[in-house]
Amino acid sequence: MDRIAAASEKYKALCRLFPDRMNPEGFWTGRLSTSALSTAVAIVALKVAGYDPDREKIASGVDWLYHNINDDGGYGDTPDSLSNISTTLLCYAAVSYCQQNDNGRPVLSAMEKWLAGKGICIDSQTIADSILRFYGKDYTFSVPILSMLNLCGVLPDEALKRIPVLPFELALLPASWYRLVNLRVVSYALPALIAVGIYLHRHGNKGILGLKFFRDLLVRPAVEKLDKLVPPSGGFLEAVPLTGFVTMCLVSSGIQNKGTVIKGLEFLRRVQREDGGWPIDTDLSTWVTTLSIKALGNDLKKVLDESQLVHLRKHLLDIQCRVKHPFNGAEPGGWGWSNHAGSVPDADDTPGAILALLAMYTGGDEENKALMNGCKWLTRLQNRDGGFPTFCRGWGRLPFDRSCADLTGHALLALMKTTEMPGRRIFPRLLSKINRSIDDALEYLYQHQSEEGSWLPLWFGNQHTDDQTNPVYGTARVC
């Protein structure tokens, strides 16, 4: 009984934290860890741009890297992450490029030793081969990483011949064609396809079928497309690495005074942390808010008063995407991971928002409309195999665009919970679509359960396992 009483008191103490941790706007923001990967990319982008006021920001970013190297001499994505080759190489490039008076030599030596233990020798072909082998046919990460290594002088110019061409001109095709032309980047990485592709074209002197002159003519319209895609916040997907890669590659290609570059630099300056580093993303406010509502469960209305629930409900309703999204053409009805402009609708935050609204449900017309549009968005996103991808239906060629069990389980829960609403509130035609979607999702999960009974997630792995998969998390989400 003492143990039960202690647990009960702890639970009550934790519940009291929820209202205290709300931001002034009435929802939860959360805070991502400062990231070595993001910090490395950000300081290089700022240095390439070459504005004097940014020198202090660059110096504090370099200093953060000096003080947050792992004991083994490598870097992980965050200070609590195990060292990995990609992040360590990016940090090596950033320190060698941004250090002052060779003061980064001890850190560079430590990284060289760690990389040597992985069979990678700086200034050798093993760097390009290792990165390309690790990421395989997906160029979303490998080509930007190799391009930054070249830009910082770690990879010599002759190594550009080993870096695959990114056909930036294909981004000028209608979005509905992308999945047909076998783009080797995932759906959310079109800005990298364009900017890094232009960098490789300008510096590598390579072109499809030798048509360099033709590709030169397409640089300007490709940059103009980027200027249309960049959100008001300046951060593509609110992500520092993606925005940093785009910015440095454009500036290094002689493209400086364009909206994408100007806004991107402003974004990087604004989101730098007080500790000198940068997070991967601005925040995950939608994710944190919907998880908080879910965590409170049946005690939600005991812990939060009516005015707080009103603010939460209004916030979620306000940030639902009501128009076709300019970044990836997503239909209205979904939710992104944040209330910031760079966030795009996805198949994890949309079910989360639906379930959160159902937990606070009052039966209002605005709620009903939002829930119906959210479910409609999910049914349209569902792939033919019955599973749910993250952002775009039908891409499917690369891992981060495929159907996956964790998102399918989350979407399935949201759709089933919605059908428990009073039947008259769901139009019969939509209800029929939802029921078909549920059947197809269940069949997908039956087909993708392992023999031991587990499901693997796409988005949250486990760095402590050999294959970095996390069957506990994936199985919990589905169950």
Side-chain angles (χ1 to χ4, degrees):
M1 289 299 294
D2 289 342
R3 192 174 295 176
I4 294 173
S8 177
E9 288 303 312
K10 177 61 72 175
Y11 173 75
K12 292 176 183 177
L14 290 171
C15 284
R16 288 194 291 270
L17 293 177
F18 281 92
D20 294 340
R21 298 292 174 88
M22 275 184 167
N23 63 26
E25 288 77 33
F27 58 96
W28 293 279
T29 303
R31 179 181 171 92
L32 283 85
S33 173
T34 304
S35 162
L37 187 155
S38 296
T39 301
V41 174
I43 60 176
V44 170
L46 291 176
K47 181 165 183 180
V48 168
Y51 290 99
D52 284 343
D54 292 331
R55 287 183 178 179
E56 186 176 339
K57 290 183 175 295
I58 296 167
S60 61
V62 173
D63 191 59
W64 187 92
L65 289 176
Y66 290 169
H67 287 90
N68 286 277
I69 189 169
N70 286 344
D71 292 339
D72 61 10
Y75 285 91
D77 295 346
T78 76
D80 290 326
S81 301
L82 300 179
S83 299
N84 65 71
I85 292 174
S86 300
T87 302
T88 302
L89 283 172
L90 288 174
C91 290
Y92 188 92
V95 171
S96 62
Y97 185 64
C98 299
Q99 65 177 334
Q100 295 180 337
N101 302 320
D102 208 31
N103 64 354
R105 178 36 46 195
V107 174
L108 291 172
S109 297
M111 284 189 275
E112 288 170 3
K113 184 176 180 180
W114 186 87
L115 288 166
K118 301 298 179 182
I120 296 175
C121 178
I122 297 297
D123 295 330
S124 75
Q125 297 293 352
T126 59
I127 296 177
D129 292 341
S130 295
I131 292 292
L132 291 172
R133 185 168 56 251
F134 180 79
Y135 288 106
K137 295 181 179 180
D138 186 351
Y139 298 160
T140 306
F141 304 102
S142 60
V143 176
I145 290 170
L146 292 171
S147 299
M148 179 171 145
L149 293 174
N150 171 254
L151 188 155
C152 294
V154 175
L155 276 183
D157 287 343
E158 54 264 28
L160 287 174
K161 297 177 183 178
R162 303 181 67 83
I163 303 177
V165 172
L166 285 188
F168 66 88
E169 59 271 30
L170 294 183
L172 297 173
L173 295 172
S176 59
W177 291 24
Y178 291 162
R179 66 184 179 88
L180 303 176
V181 294
N182 193 24
L183 295 181
R184 293 293 184 87
V185 298
V186 293
S187 56
Y188 57 81
L190 284 178
L193 170 73
I194 296 172
V196 181
I198 291 172
Y199 174 82
L200 293 173
H201 168 65
R202 286 275 172 90
H203 294 267
N205 197 29
K206 297 193 294 186
I208 297 177
L209 300 179
L211 299 178
K212 184 177 185 300
F213 175 75
F214 176 70
R215 299 188 85 205
D216 283 338
L217 295 178
L218 295 177
V219 169
R220 182 174 179 178
V223 174
E224 289 174 350
K225 175 158 188 174
L226 264 183
D227 288 342
K228 293 178 182 178
L229 292 177
V230 66
S233 67
F236 286 111
L237 302 185
E238 297 296 314
V240 171
L242 178 58
T243 305
F245 281 131
V246 169
T247 303
M248 73 172 72
C249 286
L250 290 181
V251 174
S252 298
S253 302
I255 302 165
Q256 182 111 15
N257 296 317
K258 288 290 185 178
T260 299
V261 173
I262 294 170
K263 290 181 178 180
L265 289 172
E266 290 174 351
F267 171 79
L268 294 175
R269 293 167 186 141
R270 186 175 65 254
V271 301
Q272 185 179 22
R273 291 271 172 79
E274 62 280 356
D275 61 9
W278 278 262
I280 286 283
D281 215 280
T282 307
D283 65 49
L284 305 179
S285 62
T286 307
W287 184 242
V288 174
T289 296
T290 57
L291 279 180
S292 298
I293 292 170
K294 179 181 179 181
L296 289 171
N298 293 332
D299 290 331
L300 177 66
K301 295 180 181 178
K302 299 177 184 177
V303 175
L304 303 179
D305 61 36
E306 186 58 32
S307 66
Q308 291 169 324
L309 292 173
V310 168
H311 281 297
L312 279 173
R313 192 180 299 111
K314 183 179 186 304
H315 170 69
L316 291 177
L317 293 173
D318 286 346
I319 63 173
Q320 185 178 26
C321 188
R322 290 188 170 87
V323 297
K324 198 168 189 176
H325 202 282
F327 181 85
N328 64 350
E331 294 293 329
W335 278 267
W337 56 88
S338 167
N339 62 311
H340 296 289
S343 172
V344 300
D346 67 85
D348 217 4
D349 290 284
T350 297
I354 290 172
L355 291 165
L357 286 173
L358 287 172
M360 302 183 290
Y361 186 62
T362 65
D365 290 341
E366 193 175 2
E367 291 172 275
N368 291 327
K369 183 178 180 181
L371 290 166
M372 297 307 99
N373 287 337
C375 288
K376 191 183 300 182
W377 188 86
L378 283 174
T379 60
R380 287 175 175 172
L381 185 72
Q382 190 172 23
N383 279 329
R384 289 182 179 179
D385 63 6
F388 285 83
T390 309
F391 298 111
C392 295
R393 171 185 167 88
W395 278 57
R397 297 176 185 271
L398 300 174
F400 285 105
D401 275 323
R402 292 175 184 159
S403 299
C404 52
D406 49 330
L407 303 194
T408 300
H410 203 191
L412 183 60
L413 180 60
L415 293 172
M416 290 191 299
K417 283 285 187 181
T418 304
T419 62
E420 296 175 5
M421 294 170 55
R424 70 181 190 280
R425 299 191 184 277
I426 305 178
F427 296 121
R429 187 175 179 182
L430 176 58
L431 182 59
S432 176
K433 286 183 178 179
I434 291 174
N435 285 329
R436 284 201 304 273
S437 179
I438 290 171
D439 289 341
D440 291 344
L442 286 169
E443 183 60 30
Y444 172 85
L445 292 174
Y446 295 151
Q447 295 296 325
H448 288 81
Q449 187 177 23
S450 74
E451 291 184 2
E452 65 179 2
S454 66
W455 285 273
L456 295 180
L458 173 65
W459 283 101
F460 296 95
N462 183 349
Q463 64 177 344
H464 297 288
T465 61
D466 292 338
D467 57 3
Q468 298 186 331
T469 59
N470 193 342
V472 173
Y473 176 80
T475 307
R477 291 295 301 276
V478 173
C479 288

